[in-house]
Amino acid sequence: HDPPPGHVKELRLVYQTGDGPQMSTVTPENLEAELAGCRLPAAVAKPLVDTCAAATGDHRAALARILETLEKRGTVPGIEQALFRPIFNGQDLSGWSQQDGYFSVKDGAILGASTPERLCKPNHHLVYTAETFADFELRAEFRLSAGANSGIQLRCLPQFIGDNGYQADMDGGGNYVGFLYHPKQHLVGERGADVAIDAEGRKTVTRFADGKKLQEIYRKEQWNDIRVVVKDRSITVWINGVRTTSVEDPRASFLPARGHIALQLHQGPAMTVAFRNLRVRPF
């Protein structure tokens, strides 16, 4: 589909794997296309997945790379259980810490709630204090009420009140979903753009997609998927399987080499924010 200048082009790919069904996918220009349809037989996948899940150190890292390579070419049953581990048990806030009790667990999800009787002032965070992370991939689901404002803090300090560090931003209306925010720089990672920051704080922005068009992938007041990869000096965000932004920042004062993961409940009107299936794959 080749629309007028200024609008995003779309490419439809039609493909077939072996004797399987004919598949198709549509991707906006300059975005990655994930081709599905090839499934590794369970008899082959299970020994690899089980061995990787039980391994440690360099052995685990080598097996993980093999599984990741196979996953790029098709589906590997059970791969998430081998590569990722949960940081929320679905029952209580074990491993997490907070102040003032705005966060709780309900129906298998972490719930942050600000009510008319008890508004959240100022911003509060639920911090995963059980451990810190250097390079990692985080996957989770989130759901926000219409007027909510929230985010996931990345390599942050164990700070319960007020913001610090980079945040995968999100809000109920979708205006900030897919952005990267920093309290000293605000919306630094624009949706639809790759951002490179030099040692003096100067930004170079390279647009790869229409930010407004990408906003349409967000499902208001429903469960959405978020994926964040923090590696070396960069952060990349995907929403519902679509890459939305990346930021590269060499400044350790802005992006430390290691830190915590935290969930934000923003000050303002009454709102609810919910997170579930939080899992991490350290690199």
Side-chain angles (χ1 to χ4, degrees), residues 152-156 163-169 179-189 197 235 247 249 251-256 264:
I152 302 176
Q153 308 291 128
L154 308 161
R155 287 189 190 165
C156 67
D163 301 332
N164 75 88
Y166 274 97
Q167 176 194 101
D169 207 351
F179 279 80
L180 278 166
Y181 169 87
H182 194 286
K184 296 180 180 179
Q185 305 173 107
H186 304 292
L187 295 174
V188 59
I197 303 174
I235 303 173
V247 169
D249 192 339
R251 300 168 298 173
S253 59
F254 283 76
L255 181 58
Q264 183 201 66

Side-chain angles (χ1 to χ4, degrees), residues 241-283:
V242 178
R243 188 168 71 91
T244 59
T245 190
S246 72
V247 169
E248 185 173 346
D249 192 339
R251 300 168 298 173
S253 59
F254 283 76
L255 181 58
R258 176 177 288 272
H260 293 270
I261 292 170
L263 309 177
Q264 183 201 66
L265 180 64
H266 203 281
Q267 65 178 348
M271 67 181 73
T272 58
V273 303
F275 297 88
R276 69 184 185 187
N277 295 332
L278 291 107
R279 59 239 193 247
V280 168
R281 175 169 64 104
F283 297 129

Side-chain angles (χ1 to χ4, degrees), residues 225-241:
D225 294 316
I226 184 168
R227 174 190 176 203
V228 183
V229 172
V230 184
K231 189 170 179 61
D232 298 326
R233 311 307 311 159
S234 69
I235 303 173
T236 307
V237 179
W238 289 258
I239 301 294
N240 293 327

Side-chain angles (χ1 to χ4, degrees), residues 27-163:
T27 181
E29 67 175 329
N30 298 329
L31 289 188
E32 298 174 355
E34 295 291 336
L35 306 185
C38 177
R39 185 177 180 86
L40 196 67
V44 177
K46 191 174 189 307
L48 285 170
V49 169
D50 290 349
T51 304
C52 182
T56 58
D58 291 343
H59 187 198
R60 178 183 176 87
L63 287 167
R65 291 195 62 178
I66 292 171
L67 288 173
E68 289 164 353
T69 302
L70 291 171
E71 181 73 2
K72 290 177 182 178
R73 289 157 173 77
T75 301
V76 180
I79 189 172
E80 276 224 359
Q81 289 80 356
L83 300 183
F84 289 81
R85 52 184 172 79
I87 57 173
F88 167 55
N89 63 19
Q91 300 175 344
D92 57 42
L93 294 178
S94 298
W96 297 79
S97 303
Q98 63 173 317
Q99 182 175 320
D100 301 328
Y102 283 102
F103 292 90
S104 62
V105 176
K106 183 178 180 181
D107 298 328
I110 293 175
L111 181 70
S114 177
T115 65
E117 298 76 25
R118 190 167 181 260
L119 292 176
C120 178
K121 294 182 180 180
N123 298 349
H124 277 62
H125 294 91
L126 177 69
V127 183
Y128 186 63
T129 48
E131 59 185 309
T132 59
F133 300 94
D135 293 347
F136 65 93
E137 177 178 347
L138 168 72
R139 295 190 184 186
E141 296 174 77
F142 68 95
R143 184 176 66 190
L144 310 177
S145 62
N149 191 322
S150 184
I152 302 176
Q153 308 291 128
L154 308 161
R155 287 189 190 165
C156 67
L157 299 172
Q159 179 178 321
F160 304 129
I161 307 296
D163 301 332

